[in-house]
């Protein structure tokens, strides 16, 4: 494949969104009224994918030696334009160390070096009639593991932008992920992950084992 | 040396702290040699924005007394959250309080600025990776606290809610960052006092901890938490967060 030099990388802050797929909310619903949550969230639940997590298309992502498997979080990011509008869309692989609690910020599980695969190119927002039409597929070593239908968002793209804009300004170059659906596949060192969607260049990353320093 | 980043006569400058009217640090000597009193400058966060956004890590409940005040037991592991770069503002700027909220409070914090790339750093070497320090005021709007990834970004990542400055102070000028007095005044009345020696997780621990799973880069920030004594702040209040040797950060609350 081509070199990574020309591939898109964000210039702003990348924000992930939790609980923005209906199936993901349904899976957690029985626990939402229990401690420690006590209530369903009212506002979007966001987290930051720090710059150390950014892995360009085609790169190898290191799985820490202490972690047998990682969760694949296929998603699409909205890249913010100069006027606060959406400039483009990009495929992303929001990797996590699996964690059962969503009470505390997930920094240790989501901000590990390399844990955000970034699609090779932006898709111009002008080409996209409605983000609800997005369909994304996840393949591990060529086998289809997950199909994601973005008509199933709790907050559709424009509503998510508006609700986030109620409490913070997304700057030019920031990226806001639409969320990851339930049923996220697990993968391990040695696996090749492909995230594809019609109209997008496929995002590929391989997982490699951490070697002793 | 105390370094500033300011706007003067429409242009951005760097500069260093300078005596004025007999008071140390009352002015800035700009990069072009001019000496300008603090109040004539528009202050920016004392760190230049980075091409790849700076990582801003912030500690919750890192002083035992604050943890007690908030009716939590002291954490066994750092409670950390991440902030976006657009929450930062400089010295002498305004922070917005949304209409209708009941409890918005400052948090006076020692901010560690990473000086060189840090990965898997051992505690004993941690100070080698610190470039310097500044003062952060990490406002929280407690009305918006929800129990999902708490404290959530609606509480902690709002525009203008993280004043930073005035100075970036070189690490070499701070012999013991773990023994500095902290103080906050609201409209001149002391409301918060403490010492960085009372941190649960100190600077070397935090650098070892974070660099164990994420690479820290020059310019990255660690906001180290706040001691006891947070009070509600209303529009018009002047909030001064001060750390011995590091600086006195002035901020005014504005309504929206």
């Amino acid at each position: 494949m081509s070199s990574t030099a020309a591939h898109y990388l964000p210039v702003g802050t990348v924000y992930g969104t939790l609980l923005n797929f209906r199936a993901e909310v349904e899976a957690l619903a029985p626990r939402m009224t229990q401690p420690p949550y006590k209530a369903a969230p009212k506002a979007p639940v966001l987290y930051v994918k720090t710059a150390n997590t950014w892995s360009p298309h085609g790169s190898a992502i290191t799985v820490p030696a202490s972690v047998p498997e990682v969760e694949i979080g296929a998603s699409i990011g909205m890249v913010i334009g100069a006027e606060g509008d959406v400039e483009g869309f990009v495929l992303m692989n929001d990797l996590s160390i699996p964690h059962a609690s969503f009470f505390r910020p997930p920094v240790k599980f989501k901000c590990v070096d390399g844990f955000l695969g970034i699609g090779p190119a932006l898709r111009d927002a002008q080409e996209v009639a409605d983000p609800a039409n997005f369909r994304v597929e996840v393949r591990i070593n060529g086998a289809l593991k997950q199909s994601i239908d973005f008509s199933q968002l709790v907050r559709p793209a424009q509503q998510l932008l508006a609700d986030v804009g109620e409490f913070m300004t997304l700057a030019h170059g920031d990226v806001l992920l639409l969320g990851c659906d339930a049923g996220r596949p697990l993968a391990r060192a040695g696996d090749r992950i492909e995230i594809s969607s019609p109209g997008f260049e496929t995002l590929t990353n391989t997982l490699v084992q951490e070697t002793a320093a | 040396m105390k370094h500033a980043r300011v706007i003067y006569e429409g242009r951005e400058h760097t500069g260093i702290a300078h005596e004025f009217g007999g008071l140390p640090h009352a002015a800035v000597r700009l990069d072009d040699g001019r000496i300008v009193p603090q109040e004539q400058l528009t202050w920016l966060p004392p760190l230049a924005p980075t091409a790849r956004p700076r990582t801003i890590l912030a500690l919750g409940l890192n002083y035992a007394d604050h943890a007690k005040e908030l009716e939590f037991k002291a954490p066994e592991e750092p409670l950390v959250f991440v902030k976006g770069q657009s929450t930062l503002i400089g010295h002498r700027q305004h922070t917005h309080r949304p209409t209708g909220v009941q409890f918005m409070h400052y948090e006076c914090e020692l901010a560690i600025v990473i000086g060189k790339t840090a990965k898997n750093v051992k505690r004993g070497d941690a100070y080698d990776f610190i470039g310097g320090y500044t003062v952060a005021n990490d406002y929280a709007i407690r009305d918006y606290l929800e129990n999902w990834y708490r404290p959530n970004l609606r509480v902690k990542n709002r525009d203008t809610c993280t004043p930073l400055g005035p100075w970036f102070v070189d690490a070499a000028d701070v012999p013991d960052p773990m023994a500095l007095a902290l103080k906050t005044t609201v409209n001149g009345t002391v409301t918060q006092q403490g010492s960085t020696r009372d941190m649960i997780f100190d600077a070397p621990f935090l650098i070892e901890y974070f660099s164990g799973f994420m690479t820290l880069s020059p310019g990255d920030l660690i906001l180290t938490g706040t001691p006891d004594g947070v009070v509600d702040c209303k529009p018009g209040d002047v909030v001064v967060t001060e750390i011995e040797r590091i600086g006195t950060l002035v901020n005014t609350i504005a309504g929206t």
Side-chain angles (χ1 to χ4, degrees):
Chain A
M1 292 288 286
S2 58
S3 82
T4 56
H7 292 147
Y8 166 78
L9 276 178
V11 295
T13 302
V14 179
Y15 293 96
T17 307
L18 184 74
L19 294 172
N20 202 31
F21 273 91
R22 288 176 195 155
E24 189 195 11
V25 171
E26 281 161 21
L28 261 168
R31 291 164 57 197
M32 281 188 180
T33 53
Q34 307 297 315
Y37 313 117
K38 298 179 185 168
K42 297 187 188 80
V45 182
L46 303 184
Y47 49 91
V48 177
K49 294 295 283 198
T50 47
N52 64 298
T53 68
W54 302 350
S55 288
H57 165 65
S59 59
I61 295 173
T62 301
V63 178
S66 59
V67 178
E69 290 182 309
V70 293
E71 208 172 71
I72 304 303
S75 189
I76 290 180
M78 298 185 279
V79 181
I80 305 302
E83 308 298 324
D85 52 343
V86 178
E87 185 172 273
F89 295 90
V90 62
L91 292 175
M92 287 196 166
N93 183 1
D94 177 4
L95 295 159
S96 300
I97 295 172
H99 54 291
S101 173
F102 303 97
F103 180 51
R104 290 302 190 192
V107 181
K108 209 169 62 169
F109 307 113
K110 286 188 176 289
C111 293
V112 179
D113 281 350
F115 266 36
L116 182 69
I118 297 170
L122 285 196
R123 186 168 175 208
D124 197 308
Q126 306 284 335
E127 290 179 18
V128 176
D130 182 357
N133 296 331
F134 288 144
R135 303 287 182 271
V136 168
E137 291 183 335
V138 181
R139 286 180 175 74
I140 300 180
N141 304 323
L144 182 65
K145 296 291 182 182
Q146 190 186 24
S147 297
I148 305 165
D149 173 355
F150 282 76
S151 70
Q152 296 303 304
L153 293 180
V154 175
R155 286 184 172 89
Q158 284 305 321
Q159 191 192 338
L160 179 65
L161 277 173
D163 290 353
V164 169
E166 286 287 309
F167 62 89
M168 57 189 250
T169 302
L170 291 164
H172 187 193
D174 285 353
V175 180
L176 178 60
L177 292 174
L178 288 165
C180 301
D181 203 356
R184 292 165 210 171
L186 296 171
R188 55 180 64 228
D191 288 344
R192 174 183 169 86
I193 319 298
E194 284 173 298
I195 294 178
S196 61
S197 179
F200 287 84
E201 290 183 46
T202 296
L203 164 62
T204 305
N205 292 104
T206 50
L207 302 183
V208 297
Q209 191 67 56
E210 183 180 39
T211 51
Chain B
M1 198 99 81
K2 286 180 155 69
H3 308 266
R5 197 164 65 94
V6 295
I7 297 170
Y8 183 60
E9 293 182 343
R11 269 195 57 213
E12 190 179 322
H13 293 269
T14 56
I16 55 172
H18 196 84
E19 184 185 298
F20 188 79
L23 295 171
H25 317 138
V28 174
R29 178 196 280 274
L30 300 180
D31 43 23
D32 60 14
R34 288 182 289 177
I35 292 160
V36 186
Q38 277 213 21
E39 55 273 21
Q40 293 181 25
L41 298 163
T42 300
W43 292 72
L44 301 169
L47 308 153
T50 50
R52 296 182 115 199
R54 168 182 311 126
T55 293
I56 306 168
L57 298 161
L59 273 287
L61 308 179
N62 198 28
Y63 285 78
D65 58 358
H66 184 58
K68 183 179 159 204
E69 177 186 38
L70 297 178
E71 297 177 359
F72 285 115
K73 63 178 177 137
E76 287 152 18
E77 185 172 9
L79 164 59
V80 59
F81 51 96
V82 184
K83 309 182 73 130
Q85 200 164 222
S86 60
T87 184
L88 299 180
I89 57 168
H91 176 52
R92 293 176 173 269
Q93 305 295 309
H94 287 75
T95 290
H96 293 280
R97 176 182 171 114
T99 307
V101 306
Q102 300 297 310
F103 191 19
M104 168 176 177
H105 62 73
Y106 53 77
E107 298 189 358
C108 176
E109 309 200 5
L110 177 69
I112 296 167
V113 187
I114 296 299
K116 62 182 181 184
T117 303
K119 176 70 178 171
N120 291 325
V121 172
K122 291 296 157 214
R123 181 186 167 85
D125 301 325
Y127 280 113
D128 296 343
F129 294 83
I130 297 178
Y133 304 91
T134 187
V135 180
N137 181 352
D138 185 15
Y139 280 102
I141 302 175
R142 294 277 289 279
D143 297 52
Y144 301 134
L145 202 57
E146 297 189 58
N147 293 337
W148 300 88
Y149 284 166
R150 163 191 179 125
N152 42 312
L153 272 65
R154 200 159 62 128
V155 175
K156 279 287 182 181
N157 199 46
R158 307 180 71 94
D159 300 351
T160 73
C161 279
T162 314
L164 199 72
W167 317 105
F168 167 81
V169 182
D170 292 322
D173 297 344
V174 188
D176 187 1
M178 291 297 101
L180 303 174
L182 293 81
K183 183 172 82 175
T184 301
T185 64
V186 178
N187 304 324
T189 302
V190 175
T191 51
Q192 180 179 42
Q193 272 186 303
S195 167
T196 58
R197 89 167 55 82
D198 296 326
M199 281 186 205
I200 297 167
F201 302 109
D202 64 9
F205 179 98
L206 293 171
I207 287 171
E208 178 177 272
Y209 176 79
F210 290 122
S211 75
F213 63 90
M214 61 194 292
T215 299
L216 301 173
S217 296
D220 285 357
L221 292 168
I222 303 173
L223 277 47
T224 55
T226 202
D228 196 0
V230 296
V231 302
D232 187 36
C233 299
K234 300 278 197 307
D237 285 351
V238 178
V239 179
V240 180
T241 46
E242 184 176 347
I243 301 178
E244 183 183 5
R245 286 181 177 272
I246 312 299
T248 302
L249 173 65
V250 178
N251 174 257
T252 304
I253 305 292
T256 47

